[in-house]
């Protein structure tokens, strides 16, 4: 939450836009509905594409997931509370009638059946994490489990810079990892994959920086293993 200003500009719309409407075709989009003062009721949308973490006053309130068919959640908050939905695009469909479908939240949106038309939306630009990295370098060291959504930074030395590494993500929840500014990819503890590939040319003998965007919770440890763990694979 402290680095939202570094990730993109918010814009208010008189309708619920998709991420594609904003020219944002990958990653995360933060949606804030303008709700009536009571802010009590069931907030519903036509469809979530593809996963939305719901926050009330920036405290976790639940998750809406497309693969579970979830599209509504009860909201009970004091007047003035802010409801936000962090929506993740999990990838594009490449076959069938859903080719080219837009991502984000799909309208119409309602609160107990009444239209929710005004939204403030912020596309999060994660193409470059340099600005976030500079903010992280100025932070204080911590040695405690990470409670997301949160960016974290660690440094490590590479004993052999001509050797590929495999980042162990088995003790992390869900998120994205970068090494020396290069995006390794996304991880998710539901598996099956438990490692991310780290090509040797990315590494330096000293001063390697790993940045992690953890969405839920993670152990505060960076660990590399000797070989990939892709989980169950068909023979």
């Amino acid at each position: 939450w402290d680095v939202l200003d570094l990730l993109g500009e918010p814009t208010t719309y008189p309708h619920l836009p998709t991420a594609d409407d904003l020219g944002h075709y990958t990653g995360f989009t933060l949606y804030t509905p303008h709700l009536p003062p009571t802010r009590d009721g069931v907030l519903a949308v036509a469809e979530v594409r593809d996963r939305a973490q719901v926050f009330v006053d920036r405290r976790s309130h639940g998750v809406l997931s497309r693969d579970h068919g979830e599209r509504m959640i009860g909201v009970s908050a004091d007047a003035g509370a802010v409801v936000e939905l962090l929506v993740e695009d999990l990838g594009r469909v490449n076959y069938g009638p859903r080719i080219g479908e837009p991502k984000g939240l799909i309208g119409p949106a309602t609160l107990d059946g009444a239209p929710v038309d005004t939204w403030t939306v912020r596309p999060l630009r994660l193409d470059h994490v340099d600005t976030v990295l500079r903010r992280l370098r100025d932070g204080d060291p911590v040695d405690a489990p990470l409670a997301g959504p949160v960016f974290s930074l660690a440094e490590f030395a590479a004993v052999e810079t001509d050797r590929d590494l495999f980042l162990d993500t088995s003790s992390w929840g869900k998120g994205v990892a970068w090494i020396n500014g290069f995006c390794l990819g996304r991880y998710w503890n539901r598996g099956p994959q438990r490692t991310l590939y780290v090509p040797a040319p990315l590494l330096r003998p000293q001063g390697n920086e790993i940045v992690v965007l953890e969405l839920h919770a993670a152990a505060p440890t960076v660990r590399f293993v000797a070989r990939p763990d892709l989980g169950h694979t068909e023979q």
Side-chain angles (χ1 to χ4, degrees), residues 27-47:
F28 300 86
T29 307
L30 186 66
Y31 285 82
T32 305
H34 293 221
L35 301 178
T38 57
R39 285 165 163 72
D40 287 337
V42 175
L43 179 64
V45 295
E47 193 173 358

Side-chain angles (χ1 to χ4, degrees), residues 6-7 125-133 151 178 181-183:
L6 304 178
L7 299 176
R125 308 292 180 181
L126 299 182
D127 310 67
H128 304 285
V129 293
D130 296 349
T131 54
V132 175
L133 183 58
F151 281 99
W178 295 259
F182 181 85
C183 185

Side-chain angles (χ1 to χ4, degrees), residues 88-158:
E88 181 179 5
D89 173 355
L90 292 177
R92 299 283 165 157
V93 176
N94 64 353
Y95 62 91
R98 286 187 176 269
I99 288 180
E101 67 175 7
K103 295 293 183 146
L105 295 181
I106 309 302
T110 60
L111 182 70
D112 275 356
V116 178
D117 293 325
T118 306
W119 292 75
T120 296
V121 186
R122 184 194 302 257
L124 303 187
R125 308 292 180 181
L126 299 182
D127 310 67
H128 304 285
V129 293
D130 296 349
T131 54
V132 175
L133 183 58
R134 288 194 289 270
R135 184 79 61 88
L136 288 170
R137 288 174 181 145
D138 294 335
D140 297 323
V142 295
D143 185 14
L146 304 179
V150 63
F151 281 99
S152 59
L153 165 68
E155 293 187 5
F156 66 95

Side-chain angles (χ1 to χ4, degrees), residues 51-124:
R51 190 173 187 268
Q53 291 176 253
V54 184
F55 301 89
V56 176
D57 278 346
R58 298 189 168 171
R59 295 184 179 182
S60 180
H61 190 68
V63 175
L64 300 176
S65 179
R66 176 181 186 171
D67 60 356
H68 293 158
E70 298 160 337
R71 62 181 190 86
M72 59 183 68
I73 189 168
V75 175
S76 179
D78 296 334
V82 177
V83 176
E84 294 168 295
L85 297 91
L86 181 61
V87 181
E88 181 179 5
D89 173 355
L90 292 177
R92 299 283 165 157
V93 176
N94 64 353
Y95 62 91
R98 286 187 176 269
I99 288 180
E101 67 175 7
K103 295 293 183 146
L105 295 181
I106 309 302
T110 60
L111 182 70
D112 275 356
V116 178
D117 293 325
T118 306
W119 292 75
T120 296
V121 186
R122 184 194 302 257
L124 303 187

